[in-house]
Amino acid sequence: MIFQHFALMSRKTVFENVAMPLVMWGWNKNDIKDRVEELLELVGLESKANSYPSQLSGGQKQRVAIARAIVNNPHIILADEPTGALDSKTSVQIMEILKELSKTRLVVMVTHNPELAETYSNRIVRLKDGELVD
């Protein structure tokens, strides 16, 4: 799950935030290190591994949240307004990452931004007041 407001642990480093699901699953330290480093490189944050969320921009926080969401290599990613708290330039960067991820897994995104949906989605389902309208 990718949350609109990141849901990062403020007292954990970027590395620790991404690693948390693997720690909880009991992965060994070497495998955790390899996987987290791979994902931080994927989202362009390898140089921020030892930083804390308070030291990151909104776009960087969202990229950490994406790395954490895919650390277990899930088949489905749920993204709740993943660009809602970001400027338009950063939103495009985040959407490009999600588009790339959608090549190998299902990405379900909720957004109020029809332009982003039209540009980046393969299928759009529109709801109004909880009812399917399109």
Side-chain angles (χ1 to χ4, degrees):
M1 176 92 184
I2 302 168
F3 299 96
Q4 178 178 359
H5 296 289
F6 324 120
L8 300 177
M9 294 173 278
S10 62
R11 294 187 177 171
K12 300 284 186 190
T13 65
V14 166
F15 185 97
E16 292 167 331
N17 267 281
V18 176
M20 186 58 62
L22 302 181
V23 170
M24 293 173 66
W25 280 96
W27 283 39
N28 74 56
K29 287 183 180 184
N30 289 332
D31 290 342
I32 290 172
K33 181 180 180 296
D34 291 344
R35 180 67 175 153
V36 172
E37 286 176 353
E38 171 191 348
L39 290 176
L40 290 179
E41 183 177 339
L42 174 75
V43 299
L45 291 176
E46 58 274 16
S47 67
K48 299 290 186 179
N50 295 314
S51 298
Y52 288 88
S54 63
Q55 299 170 310
L56 304 176
S57 70
Q60 290 170 327
K61 289 176 187 177
Q62 193 61 296
R63 288 185 280 160
V64 173
I66 289 170
R68 183 189 54 208
I70 64 174
V71 74
N72 292 6
N73 200 25
H75 298 290
I76 301 172
I77 298 170
L78 303 176
D80 177 21
E81 290 281 356
T83 62
L86 306 175
D87 62 59
S88 57
K89 179 182 175 187
T90 305
S91 293
V92 168
Q93 293 170 342
I94 296 303
M95 292 307 298
E96 290 293 335
I97 293 170
L98 292 175
K99 184 72 171 180
E100 187 63 29
L101 291 171
S102 75
K103 293 177 181 177
T104 58
R105 66 199 85 218
L106 175 63
V107 176
V108 177
M109 180 180 72
V110 175
T111 185
H112 289 94
N113 185 330
E115 185 178 304
L116 277 181
E118 293 290 338
T119 302
Y120 290 97
S121 300
N122 296 326
R123 180 176 182 201
I124 298 172
V125 176
R126 288 184 177 83
L127 301 173
K128 183 175 181 179
D129 298 328
E131 299 288 327
L132 179 66
V133 295
D134 186 24

